[in-house]
Amino acid sequence: SSELTQDPAVSVALGQTVRITCQGDSLRSYYASWYQQKPGQAPVLVIYGKNNRPSGIPDRFSGSSSGNTASLTITGAQAEDEADYYCNSRDSSGNHPFGGGTKLTVL
Amino acid sequence: QVQLQESGPGLVKPSGTLSLTCAVSGGSISSSNWWSWVRQPPGKGLEWIGEIYHSGSTNYNPSLKSRVTISVDKSKNQFSLKLSSVTAADTAVYYCARSGADYDPQYYYYYYYMDVWGKGTTVTVSS
């Protein structure tokens, strides 16, 4: 299956650590990439590969993978991290499904 | 630095064909990247539509494959999306993106990412 499953919503207290997960069979062969999207804006790549951050992404964002689950961790969440987060991967047929997205609330 | 800009009609009639173009500036469409289209219906999540390489090779979302054509124009440094037989369900913000891919030989994993995005263009399907 090429589906990727995310929890619809997660909350975190300001300054605490939060993990957002993504599950799917394709993640056993492909690392997920993670995208942050704020209202009215285009998505922004925050993590790709094993644990790579594009230039300009704070080091409080990190990624990991185990079996069929990929995780995005924000260590010391900030108010500006409140956003929707999407995982994406590739499957053996060349499809690139997105997860359904996780709405992160910073309390 | 590479920038992408979507353009095309903001209103398409039902059963018609949606046509969008993504202009690439600050870099060449003939680089070793794939070029993708992604859409987002109002209030919903992201949906990958398809991608093209400068050679013309394409991959499409199986759920849209019968209606989608993505093409590249190297002379204009741009790529395009055509979606036929549109309905109200195709109303969305359409994004173009630059895609990269690589392989991690230590862990035998492939990875893929979309690192540059256009701002998006809203397309409404309505009579």
Side-chain angles (χ1 to χ4, degrees):
Chain A
S1 167
S2 62
E3 282 190 10
L4 296 178
T5 301
Q6 297 182 241
D7 291 329
V10 171
S11 62
V12 61
L14 185 67
Q16 296 304 299
T17 296
V18 62
R19 176 178 292 182
I20 298 169
T21 61
C22 174
Q23 289 188 305
D25 288 343
S26 63
L27 300 179
R28 297 184 185 277
S29 302
Y30 294 91
Y31 289 127
S33 52
W34 290 93
Y35 303 86
Q36 176 192 70
Q37 187 181 35
K38 297 180 179 178
Q41 297 183 19
V44 173
L45 176 68
V46 294
I47 290 289
Y48 67 102
K50 191 174 191 302
N51 182 19
N52 302 315
R53 281 177 290 106
S55 174
I57 300 301
D59 61 6
R60 63 179 179 270
F61 289 88
S62 63
S64 62
S65 184
S66 178
N68 72 336
T69 301
S71 300
L72 172 70
T73 299
I74 307 174
T75 303
Q78 302 300 302
E80 61 264 32
D81 299 333
E82 186 161 291
D84 294 326
Y85 290 86
Y86 295 91
C87 61
N88 179 262
S89 185
R90 189 186 190 279
D91 65 25
S92 56
S93 68
N95 192 17
H96 297 269
F98 282 94
T102 297
K103 182 177 183 61
L104 176 66
T105 300
V106 180
L107 303 172
Chain B
Q1 134 187 3
V2 173
Q3 294 184 310
L4 306 178
Q5 178 66 59
E6 305 91 348
S7 61
L11 182 64
V12 181
K13 293 187 186 309
S15 77
T17 297
L18 178 159
S19 297
L20 296 175
T21 295
C22 181
V24 179
S25 59
S28 173
I29 202 165
S30 296
S31 62
S32 56
N33 293 102
W34 287 74
W35 304 90
S36 297
W37 287 98
V38 175
R39 71 179 183 178
Q40 186 170 36
K44 295 188 177 181
L46 301 172
E47 180 179 32
W48 181 79
I49 299 171
E51 63 182 354
I52 190 165
Y53 198 65
H54 61 78
S55 63
S57 295
T58 53
N59 289 306
Y60 296 132
N61 184 326
S63 68
L64 298 170
K65 188 173 184 176
S66 64
R67 299 193 291 130
V68 172
T69 302
I70 298 176
S71 59
V72 64
D73 187 336
K74 289 185 281 188
S75 68
K76 294 182 178 179
N77 217 38
Q78 64 186 32
F79 61 108
S80 299
L81 168 70
K82 289 189 186 300
L83 181 66
S84 63
S85 304
V86 297
T87 69
D90 296 308
T91 293
V93 176
Y94 285 77
Y95 297 100
C96 58
R98 185 182 75 172
S99 306
D102 211 332
Y103 176 65
D104 182 343
Q106 182 176 5
Y107 296 96
Y108 307 103
Y109 264 66
Y110 293 90
Y111 59 96
Y112 169 94
Y113 52 92
M114 289 171 268
D115 62 345
V116 180
W117 293 67
K119 287 183 169 57
T121 188
T122 298
V123 178
T124 301
V125 178
S126 174
S127 56

